[in-house]
Amino acid sequence: MSDKVSRRQFAKLAGLSAAGIANPLEAAETKPAPAPRGMDSFPAGFVWGTATSSYQVEGAVDVDGRGASIWDKFVRIPGKIEDGTTGDRAVEHYHRYKEDIALIKELGCKAYRFSVAWPRVFPDGDGKPNPKGLDFYNRLVDELLRNGIEPWLTLYHWDLPQSLQDRFGGWRSTETCKIFGDYAGYVAERLTDRVKNVFTLNESGRFVQFGYGLGIDAPGVTLPQAEVNQVRHNSALAHGLAVQAVRAHGRRGTRVGPAENIDVCVPAIDTPEHVRAAEIALREMNAGYLNVIMTGRYTDAFLKYAGADAPKYTDAELKIISSPVDFLGLNIYAPQNYVVPSDQGAGFMPLPIPKSFPHMNSNWLRVAPETIYWVPKLAAKIWKTDAIYISENGTSGDDVVTPDGKIYDTDRIMYLRNYLAQLQRATAEGVPVRGYFLWSLLDNFEWVFGLNKRFGLYHVNFDTQVRTPKLSATFYRNVIAKNAAGA
């Protein structure tokens, strides 16, 4: 994929910009914040974890009855994957999960976020389940618990069964949404005796726009904006149906919520006027997914901007979409928009990102540690949530194996140290961030970049599958041990 289109830069692509928005954010009250703590540590009980996703790590795509996913087909289209690789083998987590869980334990992590591959459990998306597919996740969960690691399950991390794409057009149809609800209920009934936290869909903002709008991701189709907006609405409906299914079929006490790559809006400077502008922008730039999930309505500004391209929906669907959640998962990497106040339109104006803005070895991954301070702070106020988890944060790096066999990834340590310091600042001020999942445990198949971008704390030799801890693994282990960013 060209760096001209960034991995998580969606403001312009999502069809909603500041221009023409004329509905300022309504005053939003939030629950009283706890008394500020000292700045020296994270709160007691803070959840430290790491994360992966099924297609990126498991491999074994034709083992034990797994069906094909849209990514299995997409990676075989010439030119779609930067280095021509596939997830067929990935990092063999399906066979090496015990080894990888030992690495999680070595870090001191008490939580692991993984995703269930829908086509492992239902090869065709629906119909007859595949017992061997579910057996893998039973073994995975049991091994995590034996090692004192809490499993956090994601129901959907992009590997839609190809059969549903062929039969219904994937997320273009509400039939897929209903089937997803059935799948969610099946998984919840069988795993929530041990899994207490469930994410529904990962990064609707990415897989909708890039998969159905731009054709960059699987399934690689390019739809008119009206249909893209409808697909996004359907993904929100699928989220709501999954929440209801987890409530109906999961064990008592199971918690559920979304994990979204929120369209990040940061005040350019810390003044009341700039903060207010960023608050308005955060709500409106996320009006098509997170806001409707959290409030049960599309904002007037979103509907006005979309015009004839607005999604079609019923009041009953909005009620399902806004089924109450227990937490909000936010994937936060880089700012999409720095925002200043404006006396026109909605009261905010996004600024262009200068070409000289610092970034990691992925050009889209701009280094802006304040992002992870402002986003949860504003989100907690806008959507009145008292439980936020950073469901992804991390960076690719220019990882080099030195002659002594080690990887001194000081670039990643710099990134993590600064972001975690800002996150610690937020929790010290009472922002209700309850945990953090570092992306990623392992170098893996990084979607359209193939094996070219490495996000892991552990280096993987893709030929031998040998795992080697990077210096950042030691850094993160120290952070967890100290419960503080200053490691």
Side-chain angles (χ1 to χ4, degrees), residues 101-388:
I101 289 171
L103 299 181
I104 301 170
K105 185 175 183 179
E106 182 179 290
L107 291 170
C109 288
K110 296 301 182 183
Y112 173 52
R113 181 185 170 213
F114 65 96
S115 73
V116 171
W118 187 352
R120 278 202 196 282
V121 179
F122 287 93
D124 292 319
D126 58 358
K128 186 177 180 180
N130 173 34
K132 289 184 177 180
L134 188 69
D135 282 349
F136 169 69
Y137 298 105
N138 273 309
R139 296 194 302 272
L140 177 69
V141 167
D142 288 345
E143 185 70 14
L144 287 166
L145 293 173
R146 273 194 292 270
N147 284 274
I149 301 164
E150 186 178 14
W152 289 59
L153 183 154
T154 304
L155 288 165
Y156 183 75
H157 201 128
W158 307 359
D159 42 5
L160 181 76
Q162 181 64 41
S163 174
L164 298 182
Q165 185 66 34
D166 294 339
R167 287 186 283 153
F168 305 117
W171 295 110
R172 298 174 70 178
S173 172
T174 56
E175 286 301 312
T176 298
C177 304
K178 296 172 185 175
I179 294 168
F180 180 69
D182 293 340
Y183 153 72
Y186 180 88
V187 171
E189 186 172 351
R190 288 156 179 81
L191 292 181
T192 58
D193 58 329
R194 289 152 291 156
V195 176
K196 299 305 179 186
N197 296 281
V198 177
F199 293 103
T200 54
L201 285 77
N202 184 77
E203 294 194 357
S204 173
R206 164 73 185 257
F207 76 76
V208 169
Q209 188 62 35
F210 279 30
Y212 292 86
L214 298 174
I216 292 173
D217 282 353
V221 298
T222 305
L223 303 176
Q225 189 58 48
E227 293 187 52
V228 174
N229 287 343
Q230 194 66 48
V231 170
R232 186 182 298 108
H233 172 80
N234 289 349
S235 72
L237 178 61
H239 156 84
L241 289 169
V243 171
Q244 292 187 350
V246 171
R247 299 268 189 248
H249 296 278
R251 299 298 177 93
R252 185 179 181 87
T254 304
R255 302 195 307 159
V256 62
E260 182 59 4
N261 57 317
I262 189 168
D263 195 329
V264 170
C265 300
V266 179
I269 58 176
D270 188 356
T271 68
E273 296 80 12
H274 282 75
V275 173
R276 176 62 175 166
E279 184 183 337
I280 297 168
L282 193 71
R283 183 198 191 206
E284 295 300 344
M285 291 296 190
N286 292 283
Y289 188 72
L290 266 187
N291 189 75
V292 71
I293 284 174
M294 300 301 286
T295 68
R297 61 182 291 268
Y298 289 108
T299 67
D300 293 339
F302 173 82
L303 295 175
K304 179 179 179 181
Y305 185 86
D309 291 338
K312 305 298 189 291
Y313 57 88
T314 66
D315 289 341
E317 286 177 341
L318 292 181
K319 187 174 181 180
I320 293 169
I321 288 169
S322 58
S323 299
V325 297
D326 299 296
F327 55 77
L328 180 58
L330 300 176
N331 295 359
I332 300 175
Y333 290 85
Q336 278 80 52
N337 307 285
Y338 280 93
V339 173
V340 296
S342 173
D343 57 7
Q344 298 180 1
F348 72 92
M349 181 176 69
L351 302 176
I353 301 293
K355 291 182 179 179
S356 60
F357 203 97
H359 59 80
M360 302 303 290
N361 83 327
S362 296
N363 286 345
W364 64 266
L365 217 168
R366 295 180 284 269
V367 182
E370 66 273 17
T371 300
I372 209 168
Y373 167 80
W374 283 110
V375 172
K377 182 182 179 79
L378 297 176
K381 181 180 181 183
I382 296 166
W383 294 306
K384 305 179 179 68
T385 180
D386 62 357
I388 292 174

Side-chain angles (χ1 to χ4, degrees), residues 383-395:
W383 294 306
K384 305 179 179 68
T385 180
D386 62 357
I388 292 174
Y389 293 88
I390 306 303
S391 37
E392 287 184 26
N393 171 252
T395 183

Side-chain angles (χ1 to χ4, degrees), residues 69-92:
S69 78
I70 55 174
W71 276 92
D72 293 307
K73 181 176 180 179
F74 183 77
V75 296
R76 285 168 171 77
I77 301 174
K80 290 296 186 180
I81 307 303
E82 188 174 85
D83 61 358
T85 58
T86 74
D88 289 4
R89 187 184 183 195
V91 294
E92 298 184 351

